[in-house]
Amino acid sequence: MKIAITGALGHIGSYIIRNMALKDSKHEFLLIDNFLTQRYVSLFNLPKNIKYKFLELDVSHSNLNNLFNDIDVIIHLAAITDAANSFNNAEEVERNNLLSTKNVAETALNTNTKIIFLSSTSVYGTQKDVVDEDCLKEELKPQSPYAETKLKEEELIKNMGNNGLSYVCCRFGTIFGTSNGMRFHTAVNKFCWQAVMGQEISVWETAYDQSRPYLDLFDASKAFEHIIENNMFKNETYNILTQNATVRNVIDVIKNYIPNVKIAFVKNKIMNQLSYEVLSSKFEKTGFKFKGSLSRGISETIQIINSSNRN
Ligand SMILES: NC(=O)c1ccc[n+]([C@@H]2O[C@H](COP(=O)([O-])OP(=O)(O)OC[C@H]3O[C@@H](n4cnc5c(N)ncnc54)[C@H](O)[C@@H]3O)[C@@H](O)[C@H]2O)c1
């Protein structure tokens, strides 16, 4: 099977281009990234005996028709992803992310290629305790420009689905777990980094006991395999998450490895009073089992950075 991955060098991409390849060495990978985040390192030491082709391209405006012509599945990851910072570059986030999704999805439609589209559970903003994919429209209240754009991208994909596009829309929880191109501006990874470096863990003032969905990178990669192997391109949206947790839960796990962590409560524009759990039962009903855990991802993350701050 030929798989094209946009944004292939990022936190998620750099993991799946290794792990999905090892699962089935017959897959061939077309890797596309514009080096927006300079993760050249993600291309180093890829598994041997697997066919990769890397192209440096901006998918928001490049002509992709010839590239996707013989591709079976596109995993579209390319995006500007720092939600908290998106208040400072909202226009660019909307331009890059919406145009990228529009161009990639239109090409998928033209070339009759199936697409996995990456959305985020940050499209939710509900007053309820629990939310699922069938929620009312008013429970989709994105709390950042990044998440607002994700919702617009979802809408665009859905409309194109009505015109013949075959897609799966994955609302991922916040990723944790290590990869070659991992980033540290999301909660779990950032907290691990700060704890190992002896810094105070910076927690948004309202967030300590608010519940949010998290996704182990291990489960994320398995979810892609599950979707492709079961040919689930029936234009459905799925919440994909390993578990819901509060920041207190996350820090309690970190304390198992680094007992003396200190917390600093800070303000951020993305803060709100909402606390909700996201259900993943729709995806589990397709036969998928989440096997990752916060303790797995946190211990792995602390382990890889620990050597840089030995006292
Ligand atoms: N990491 C998470 O917690 C999380 C959660 C939910 C959804 N997602 C979504 O999953 C996808 C991948 O996330 P990630 O964590 O790997 O992000 P990342 O920021 O680590 O990687 C994104 C990659 O896309 C590339 N890119 C950006 N714009 C591009 C363009 N126009 N053309 C080509 N390449 C471009 C960047 O250079 C980068 O390598 C994104 O769509 C993100 O919104 C991520």
Side-chain angles (χ1 to χ4, degrees):
M1 175 167 296
K2 289 191 176 170
I3 302 174
I5 305 179
T6 71
L9 307 191
H11 189 173
I12 298 174
S14 64
Y15 185 91
I16 63 171
I17 64 177
R18 289 173 169 77
N19 289 274
M20 284 178 61
L22 294 175
K23 166 92 193 309
D24 186 344
S25 58
K26 288 200 278 303
H27 286 331
E28 288 178 32
F29 292 91
L30 174 65
L31 314 178
I32 302 175
D33 203 288
N34 66 348
F35 286 123
L36 188 72
T37 52
Q38 296 281 312
R39 299 217 208 123
Y40 291 81
V41 67
S42 300
L43 286 173
F44 300 170
N45 299 315
L46 285 169
K48 294 195 173 82
N49 308 323
I50 289 157
K51 277 195 185 160
Y52 294 101
K53 180 167 180 53
F54 173 70
L55 290 176
E56 181 179 347
L57 273 184
D58 185 327
V59 296
S60 70
H61 58 69
S62 306
N63 185 335
L64 305 168
N65 277 296
N66 288 341
L67 298 177
F68 290 169
N69 243 334
D70 64 342
I71 293 291
D72 299 296
V73 174
I74 301 159
I75 304 180
H76 173 46
L77 304 173
I80 297 174
T81 54
D82 185 347
N85 192 47
S86 68
F87 290 94
N88 304 322
N89 60 350
E91 267 178 36
E92 179 52 12
V93 168
E94 171 152 334
R95 191 208 61 78
N96 183 69
N97 295 4
L98 200 51
L99 287 184
S100 294
T101 297
K102 185 168 184 286
N103 190 28
V104 170
E106 279 176 356
T107 314
L109 186 56
N110 290 342
T111 55
N112 206 13
T113 314
K114 297 162 187 164
I115 177 171
I116 300 179
F117 165 65
L118 263 285
S119 185
S120 161
T121 50
S122 63
V123 296
Y124 295 115
T126 180
Q127 302 284 347
K128 292 199 175 151
D129 295 339
V130 177
V131 69
D132 69 11
E133 297 87 344
D134 296 327
C135 69
L136 298 171
K137 239 189 171 154
E138 50 264 34
E139 291 172 65
L140 292 170
K141 272 217 192 78
Q143 302 289 310
S144 68
Y146 160 81
E148 278 168 24
T149 303
K150 278 287 177 210
L151 203 52
K152 289 181 189 165
E153 292 169 71
E154 278 195 14
E155 202 57 39
L156 188 141
I157 290 276
K158 206 169 156 189
N159 287 337
M160 291 178 66
N162 294 334
N163 293 320
L165 179 71
S166 296
Y167 72 87
V168 178
C169 171
C170 300
R171 286 182 184 154
F172 270 20
T174 300
I175 288 281
F176 61 89
T178 68
S179 70
N180 289 57
M182 83 184 280
R183 58 191 171 93
F184 285 87
H185 51 69
T186 46
V188 179
N189 299 349
K190 185 172 76 182
F191 296 162
C192 289
W193 178 270
Q194 290 171 323
V196 170
M197 294 301 160
Q199 300 165 4
E200 291 176 329
I201 293 184
S202 52
V203 176
W204 301 336
E205 277 176 0
T206 54
Y208 201 44
D209 286 309
Q210 286 175 334
S211 210
R212 288 286 185 279
Y214 293 94
L215 175 61
D216 193 323
L217 203 38
F218 171 84
D219 284 333
S221 183
K222 292 282 170 211
F224 290 136
E225 285 169 16
H226 179 77
I227 289 167
I228 293 171
E229 280 165 9
N230 293 292
N231 198 14
M232 287 170 57
F233 297 89
K234 306 264 164 49
N235 300 7
E236 292 286 338
T237 296
Y238 296 97
N239 295 329
I240 300 187
L241 57 130
T242 303
Q243 67 188 96
N244 291 284
T246 62
V247 170
R248 186 192 294 274
N249 299 146
V250 172
I251 292 177
D252 282 348
V253 179
I254 294 175
K255 280 181 181 165
N256 292 333
Y257 305 94
I258 305 172
N260 300 321
V261 294
K262 290 199 182 69
I263 297 170
F265 289 98
V266 297
K267 288 192 193 309
N268 190 291
K269 277 190 183 161
I270 210 170
M271 290 187 321
N272 57 56
Q273 299 303 323
L274 308 172
S275 178
Y276 53 86
E277 301 211 335
V278 174
L279 294 181
S280 56
S281 38
K282 181 175 173 186
F283 194 58
E284 287 169 279
K285 276 185 195 144
T286 68
F288 188 79
K289 285 195 173 53
F290 289 94
K291 294 185 179 158
S293 69
L294 272 175
S295 48
R296 191 207 70 79
I298 286 174
S299 71
E300 184 186 74
T301 305
I302 289 177
Q303 207 180 332
I304 63 155
I305 46 182
N306 231 349
S307 55
S308 56
N309 195 21
R310 285 203 188 102
N311 294 315

